[in-house]
Amino acid sequence: MDVRLLRALVAVADCGGFGVAAGRLSITQPALSKQIQALEAEVGGALFTRGRRGAEATRLGQALLPEARELVRRVDALSRRAAQFKRGEAGSLAVGFGLSGIDLAPQAVAAFRRRFPGVEITLEDMSSNAQVEAVRAGDLDVGFVRLPAPEDLGRLVVLADTLAVASPGDQDPPPTDPAGVAAWLRGRPVVRLTRAKGPGLVRQIELFEEEFGARPEPVQEASDLQTVLALVAAGVGAALVPAGAADIASATVTVTPIESEGGWGGGSAGERGTGSGGRSAEGSGGRTGGRARGGAGSGSTGRSDAVSWRIGAVWDPARATRVRDNFLAVVQELAGRRDELGRERDRGAADPESTWSAARRKTGRSPRRGG
């Protein structure tokens, strides 16, 4: 049965006349009359009687009206739902992340939920290699992985992270230059993440230790980063972790980002045309629950491959969805905002007076200066 005919039945019954109903449906009155006649032919009887008070539904028309209203309502609801799917405002999204995206991925998901509450999102913790395979298999829509990524995947550079030393907060923190950190680590007990859980991080640590001659003494392994940090807090040993781990470290752990030396350039997110370049070690994880020490600045373009790495969002370009595109737009916006904050911190560190002046221009009043 044509839903247009049912919509005509409901409109005439609601409006009490053909003229008003035709206007409501944005069609001519003769066209509306033909639709009602077609429906009457289909059901085998008259649906309305016309009189001085307009059109009144017959007993047959009254019997059909409840179901006709429900069908029209459901069709309209389905149409609105389909439009939401088309705009990417409804549907599902599967996102993967590992140690490299431990702070950005949840933030991006939270920002996306606020903007698109009708989308169901799942967030899976897995290694970069596992994410790549899941994206290829269609089990993940987007993954946050260490770059470089395979050429068959779309990718967007979102930030850069750097190695950091997690140490007990009641001990003197290590130096920040790579050679100094390597000397500080020699012979010192350290806690490590298992290779199965963080193969990318383990390779990064091995590269750092090989390049700078660090020879620590591993005393315990843990299967997740939170346990590594808990063991550091307990005084079991220090640990090399991503600087972004400062976001989940307790107040009894100091996370000291290692300064980058010449080498890798932060660059821009050229794979997708726009996006963020490198993010500062401080921005990546200069925050801790209690203590933090500064690291490399976000404006640095000389980053050692042994110390820093890029993180990107990857996806399968052969499986295009509007929901995924909307999510990537949120990720790109968030990464750009974090980069801008990092650049402002760098400018403030280089010239506190200019930061004070900029704050005064923005607010119209002088900010409080430190004593």
Side-chain angles (χ1 to χ4, degrees):
M1 182 173 288
D2 191 339
V3 70
R4 293 180 305 160
L5 306 184
L6 297 179
R7 196 181 299 279
L9 170 66
V10 172
V12 174
D14 288 345
C15 296
F18 281 73
V20 178
R24 171 173 157 181
L25 296 173
S26 300
I27 60 176
T28 64
Q29 186 169 335
L32 176 60
S33 297
K34 288 182 179 180
Q35 289 181 0
I36 294 298
Q37 291 169 3
L39 184 58
E40 288 175 337
E42 192 166 343
V43 300
L47 297 173
F48 293 98
T49 59
R50 301 195 188 196
R52 288 178 297 177
R53 292 183 296 179
E56 294 184 358
T58 63
R59 291 176 61 185
L60 178 58
Q62 292 174 355
L64 286 177
L65 266 174
E67 291 180 81
R69 289 186 193 281
E70 177 62 17
L71 284 172
V72 170
R73 185 194 66 79
R74 292 176 62 183
V75 167
D76 289 344
L78 180 60
S79 179
R80 290 191 297 270
R81 185 69 169 166
Q84 289 179 325
F85 279 107
K86 185 176 181 179
R87 295 190 299 266
E89 298 172 357
S92 62
L93 182 74
V95 178
F97 76 103
L99 296 178
S100 296
I102 197 168
D103 61 338
L104 180 65
Q107 290 180 31
V109 167
F112 183 80
R113 284 185 190 276
R114 289 191 295 270
R115 193 172 302 181
F116 301 98
V119 177
E120 297 180 3
I121 309 176
T122 58
L123 191 60
E124 300 289 341
D125 180 6
M126 57 181 70
S127 69
S128 291
N129 289 339
Q131 289 182 68
V132 167
E133 294 307 314
V135 167
R136 284 172 168 163
D139 297 326
L140 284 183
D141 296 298
V142 178
F144 288 87
V145 305
R146 285 170 172 259
L147 298 178
E151 291 298 321
D152 61 312
L153 298 182
R155 52 204 174 277
L156 169 68
V157 180
V158 293
L159 53 86
D161 209 347
T162 186
L163 280 179
V165 179
S167 57
D170 59 356
Q171 298 180 9
D172 291 335
T176 59
D177 63 290
V181 170
W184 185 86
L185 285 172
R186 289 189 191 106
R188 187 178 294 268
V190 294
V191 180
R192 294 192 186 278
L193 190 70
T194 60
R195 188 179 296 274
K197 177 60 178 176
L201 177 61
V202 171
R203 287 195 301 270
Q204 189 76 45
I205 292 172
E206 291 172 345
L207 178 61
F208 171 81
E209 291 177 350
E210 180 180 352
E211 181 167 328
F212 294 100
R215 296 293 183 269
E217 293 292 335
V219 293
Q220 190 168 341
E221 286 190 338
S223 59
D224 62 80
L225 190 57
Q226 289 88 343
T227 302
V228 169
L229 294 170
L231 291 170
V232 171
V236 175
L240 287 171
V241 298
D247 291 331
I248 61 172
S250 71
T252 58
V253 173
T254 299
V255 177
T256 306
I258 302 173
E259 293 175 351
S260 299
E261 294 188 339
W264 177 78
S268 63
E271 289 93 348
R272 199 167 184 250
T274 57
S276 70
R279 187 169 58 118
S280 70
E282 180 181 354
S284 302
R287 302 177 302 278
T288 68
R291 301 180 64 190
R293 299 190 70 214
S298 65
S300 171
T301 57
R303 290 179 179 268
S304 169
D305 288 339
V307 175
S308 299
W309 61 94
R310 293 185 302 168
I311 301 162
V314 299
W315 65 93
D316 185 354
R319 294 185 174 92
T321 67
R322 183 59 65 87
V323 170
R324 185 198 66 197
D325 290 344
N326 288 345
F327 180 72
L328 289 172
V330 170
V331 170
Q332 187 169 337
E333 178 183 321
L334 180 61
R337 195 157 57 238
R338 289 159 67 105
D339 270 358
E340 179 59 30
L341 289 174
R343 286 191 291 269
E344 288 181 1
R345 281 195 298 268
D346 287 347
R347 288 194 294 267
D351 185 3
E353 182 65 27
S354 66
T355 303
W356 180 85
S357 300
R360 183 176 184 178
R361 287 195 299 271
K362 287 181 179 180
T363 63
R365 60 181 182 274
S366 299
R368 182 178 298 176
R369 293 179 183 265

